[in-house]
Amino acid sequence: MTQLCERAPRAVGRGDRVGLFLVGMALLSLGACDRIRRDPPPLPDATAPVAAPDEIEAPEVFTATDQGLWDGRPSLGGTWVAYPGVDRPERVLIRNDETGRTTRGALFRREREMDGPAFQVSSDAAEGLGMLAGAPASLTVIALRPGDTTSGGGAELPAEDEAAAQEP
């Protein structure tokens, strides 16, 4: 028996060790997949409020109601809308006025001036809003700001916004 154990490491070549390693990793991966199937992550509740409790609407920062369009192509970067003339990205609440569905996302400056609806909508935003490809929808977009959770009051502006608001 001792002789077999002494020969075993020599009998297994480098290729065999790599193969054993890969089989072991595959078994570990399959075990993880089984756990995921048994304990799926909870799905978001469609009736839950869209804005986080620490975010409030800030129409004084940005608000617009206009037509929006998703062109049907997949887009990168998550939930967003683009609008002409936006100075800097903003966190926003996007509402489809026709369906009443809302989602949170980002607002960016629309790079090119093109014919058609003013809001360019990402594929993720369109899905959240219930928009169909190529079908314009009336959208209302409102900026969001962190809420003041200590006093239950309004949003605090970042320092740069406070400085800009005090300039003549």
Side-chain angles (χ1 to χ4, degrees), residues 78-152:
T79 305
W80 53 265
V81 292
Y83 191 73
V86 172
D87 294 329
R88 65 178 191 206
E90 294 285 348
R91 180 111 170 107
V92 292
L93 178 71
I94 309 164
R95 180 178 297 116
N96 183 335
D97 297 328
E98 297 165 6
T99 65
R101 292 176 71 175
T102 58
T103 188
R104 285 181 293 169
L107 172 68
F108 298 107
R109 179 171 42 109
R110 191 168 178 173
E111 293 297 324
R112 288 181 252 155
E113 192 63 40
M114 299 176 1
D115 292 334
F119 283 111
Q120 178 183 356
V121 182
S122 74
S123 57
D124 289 346
E127 181 180 339
L129 297 169
M131 294 176 64
L132 298 174
S138 176
L139 302 179
T140 298
V141 178
I142 303 171
L144 294 173
R145 286 289 187 256
D148 182 6
T149 57
T150 58
S151 67

Side-chain angles (χ1 to χ4, degrees), residues 22 25 28 55 85 129 133 159:
L22 292 176
M25 293 304 294
L28 285 173
E55 289 183 319
L129 297 169

